[in-house]
Amino acid sequence: MVQTDICIIGAGPAGATAALQLAYMGIPCVVVDKAVFPRDKVCGDGLSGKVLTLLSRIDPGIAERLQQYVFKEDSWGVTFIAANRMSINIPYKPGYEKLPGEPRGFVCKRIHFDNFLVEELRRCPQVQLIEGKSITKYDLRPDGYLLTDASGSLQIRTKLVIAANGAHSGFTKDVAGIRMEPKHYVAGIRAYYSGIKGLHADNLIELHFLKNVLPGYFWIFPLPNGEANVGVGMLSKVARRRKINLKQLLLDAVQSDPVLRERFRDATLRGNIDGYGLPLGSKKRRLSGERYMLVGDAAFLIDPFTGEGIGNAMYSARMAAQQAAACIAANDFSAATMLAYDANIARVLGPELTMSTRLQKLIRFPWLLNMLMRLGARNKELQELMTCMFHEVDLRKKLAKPQFYLRLLLGRGLRP
Ligand SMILES: Cc1cc2nc3c(=O)[nH]c(=O)nc-3n(C[C@H](O)[C@H](O)[C@H](O)COP(=O)(O)OP(=O)(O)OC[C@H]3O[C@@H](n4cnc5c(N)ncnc54)[C@H](O)[C@@H]3O)c2cc1C
């Protein structure tokens, strides 16, 4: 029997971040994960600037150690490729060529990135990490939760639960009552290849909006040592309706698409092609209740347009840790008090999720992306605007409005 004020279920990016933030505030916690680290997690392995920003807010030392981590590849931006095969390169930061040493994002296999975070946890005396135990029972009692693992050999008494156990969280389903809805969920698969030709010299990640994958995309994310993460993500509702086998879709794309076939001619598939779900933040949900908060994928917070979930998982986890500190200080774990966490999520992540939901709906129309690429290829102003989209939610708002495309077609200025 383990006794604690705060138990975090899951030590992925969300769980580890919550524990690191608590440790930084001097608050002890127990973190329990069903896996033993290092462990893999099916993912595109793309990490946006949000990750470093968030870690440096917790402790600049952690961000610095991640900057020096050898298992990652720095990436300077994104190449968008429309169905008509026209493409534009959009750097994360305007003029990045002039600022070497300041990457805005990177690609790192999850077996390495998640282990980096867990190693950080191991440095914290306030964190008790329990590995290899799957929590399957959650009993709410007057003084807190009694959590039990699948074998019955571990019991944890805790005043508060932070559920960070990912896309298939039993806690989310059984306690919070949130279920998978195919229109708010993406099915994704990823493979590792080596020897793909034509990767960008600055490791721009590639999003290919192939016609038969919309609304979703095929991606190539460059990794260290000439490897790349290659995958496909597609709205589950559409994949089910069209009875699509994603593995076959990926293999068909690299074998039959005229451009990709050439680039993959000498490439080698390394290991298996694996799949996992992406719970999207395209619907507002209640993420807390009496004595609990949901974070990361367990809270359905993945960006519906980009598929980015790690950054949002870490942002939500830090907010949950701060809320947990307030609950402990006030000795108040009521559902009403926990609403402050929901309000914070809505304030910080809400506007971005709303805009991305609109953009996700727009990319269903291949002609729209084709047009954007055609105009973007020769319109510097549009390229700059898309660069700023990465940091400015207000600009995403603009991209989600029909008037924007009308102005574009009429050749009018894009900024007010
Ligand atoms: C194909 C694919 C591609 C993706 N590409 C990207 C990308 O490029 N960039 C990006 O930002 N995001 C991407 N995502 C999303 C990203 O993987 C998730 O958003 C991210 O992993 C969420 O982190 P998390 O900590 O909430 O959950 P997870 O990373 O899933 O961690 C959950 C942890 O909980 C543990 N656990 C589960 N159940 C239990 C239990 N009962 N008891 C104890 N422990 C438990 C697991 O072992 C795991 O360690 C992708 C997802 C998929 C499927």
Side-chain angles (χ1 to χ4, degrees):
M1 175 72 77
V2 176
Q3 189 95 30
T4 178
D5 281 355
I6 305 168
C7 178
I8 300 169
I9 311 175
T17 302
L20 287 171
Q21 178 62 49
L22 287 167
Y24 192 76
M25 294 186 287
I27 300 172
C29 68
V30 169
V31 183
V32 55
D33 200 293
K34 69 177 181 187
V36 175
F37 287 80
R39 63 101 181 89
D40 195 15
K41 152 79 175 78
V42 175
C43 187
D45 303 332
L47 304 176
S48 73
K50 270 185 182 173
V51 171
L52 275 177
T53 306
L54 198 274
L55 287 176
S56 54
R57 280 185 197 159
I58 296 175
D59 176 358
I62 305 176
E64 234 163 74
R65 287 191 284 280
L66 183 59
Q67 285 273 32
Q68 282 150 23
Y69 199 47
V70 292
F71 292 108
K72 65 178 176 49
E73 193 69 60
D74 295 337
S75 168
W76 296 88
V78 185
T79 303
F80 290 94
I81 302 114
N84 62 3
R85 310 307 297 168
M86 286 198 76
S87 64
I88 40 174
N89 296 336
I90 305 293
Y92 291 131
K93 200 168 176 177
Y96 73 93
E97 293 98 333
K98 294 173 211 132
L99 295 165
E102 275 191 38
R104 299 289 300 185
F106 46 93
V107 188
C108 182
K109 284 187 181 177
R110 292 290 298 277
I111 191 159
H112 299 308
F113 176 65
D114 291 21
N115 198 48
F116 168 87
L117 292 177
V118 164
E119 285 302 319
E120 289 293 330
L121 287 188
R122 295 191 208 278
R123 300 161 80 108
C124 303
Q126 304 90 338
V127 178
Q128 183 185 351
L129 176 65
I130 303 172
E131 294 171 87
K133 298 281 180 195
S134 176
I135 299 297
T136 50
K137 269 185 79 189
Y138 339 88
D139 294 322
L140 179 59
R141 312 226 162 143
D143 57 346
Y145 266 96
L146 176 66
L147 306 175
T148 313
D149 86 313
S151 68
S153 62
L154 174 71
Q155 289 203 309
I156 303 173
R157 275 187 189 286
T158 180
K159 290 182 185 163
L160 179 68
V161 172
I162 297 181
N165 52 339
H168 302 161
S169 165
F171 194 96
T172 298
K173 207 161 53 167
D174 302 340
V175 179
I178 299 175
R179 300 199 166 255
M180 180 271 198
E181 293 170 77
K183 64 178 176 186
H184 299 292
Y185 208 83
V186 160
I189 55 155
R190 72 99 176 87
Y192 289 115
Y193 278 89
S194 61
I196 304 168
K197 280 189 272 201
L199 297 175
H200 194 278
D202 295 322
N203 297 317
L204 267 55
I205 62 169
E206 299 176 31
L207 307 186
H208 297 248
F209 293 91
L210 302 176
K211 206 171 168 185
N212 53 350
V213 181
L214 296 176
Y217 56 79
F218 170 97
W219 69 79
I220 303 176
F221 292 176
L223 280 159
N225 305 319
E227 272 193 276
N229 181 316
V230 178
V232 180
M234 193 178 199
L235 203 63
S236 295
K237 186 178 134 190
V238 178
R240 282 186 188 183
R241 197 179 58 223
R242 296 196 207 144
K243 296 192 174 47
I244 285 175
N245 176 334
L246 284 183
K247 214 183 230 185
Q248 203 50 51
L249 188 70
L250 184 144
L251 292 172
D252 285 350
V254 302
Q255 283 158 11
S256 314
D257 178 271
V259 178
L260 294 174
R261 187 177 57 209
E262 201 38 52
R263 293 183 58 194
F264 278 78
R265 188 177 293 284
D266 304 319
T268 312
L269 174 64
R270 307 257 168 218
N272 298 329
I273 303 181
D274 292 316
Y276 211 73
L278 289 90
L280 304 180
S282 45
K283 178 178 171 183
K284 202 171 170 205
R285 301 168 171 95
R286 176 81 201 263
L287 305 179
S288 67
E290 190 181 347
R291 292 185 182 274
Y292 76 82
M293 284 173 276
L294 311 176
V295 295
D297 279 11
F300 283 62
L301 287 175
I302 294 184
D303 187 298
F305 177 57
T306 62
E308 183 196 346
I310 299 166
N312 287 355
M314 295 171 74
Y315 269 65
S316 62
R318 182 163 182 257
M319 286 184 260
Q322 287 165 334
Q323 179 62 39
C327 291
I328 302 270
N331 195 27
D332 178 356
F333 304 91
S334 63
T337 295
M338 231 54 92
L339 272 174
Y341 167 68
D342 287 75
N344 259 338
I345 295 280
R347 184 178 56 79
V348 177
L349 300 178
E352 203 176 316
L353 289 173
T354 306
M355 284 318 124
S356 290
T357 304
R358 288 201 198 141
L359 287 177
Q360 182 220 43
K361 290 196 171 121
L362 280 179
I363 60 161
R364 274 166 215 205
F365 309 111
W367 59 266
L368 192 71
L369 271 173
N370 288 347
M371 176 190 89
L372 258 184
M373 296 303 144
R374 225 179 15 252
L375 296 172
R378 50 174 198 259
N379 184 334
K380 256 212 129 17
E381 196 187 359
L382 176 60
Q383 286 174 24
E384 279 164 18
L385 196 81
M386 287 178 83
T387 299
C388 295
M389 176 186 91
F390 288 114
H391 344 265
E392 293 176 42
V393 172
D394 276 357
L395 283 172
R396 289 199 206 178
K397 235 181 247 175
K398 197 183 287 188
L399 282 166
K401 282 190 181 147
Q403 298 94 300
F404 172 85
Y405 299 94
L406 203 60
R407 290 183 78 85
L408 198 61
L409 274 173
L410 296 174
R412 305 252 169 90
L414 298 175
R415 285 176 186 275

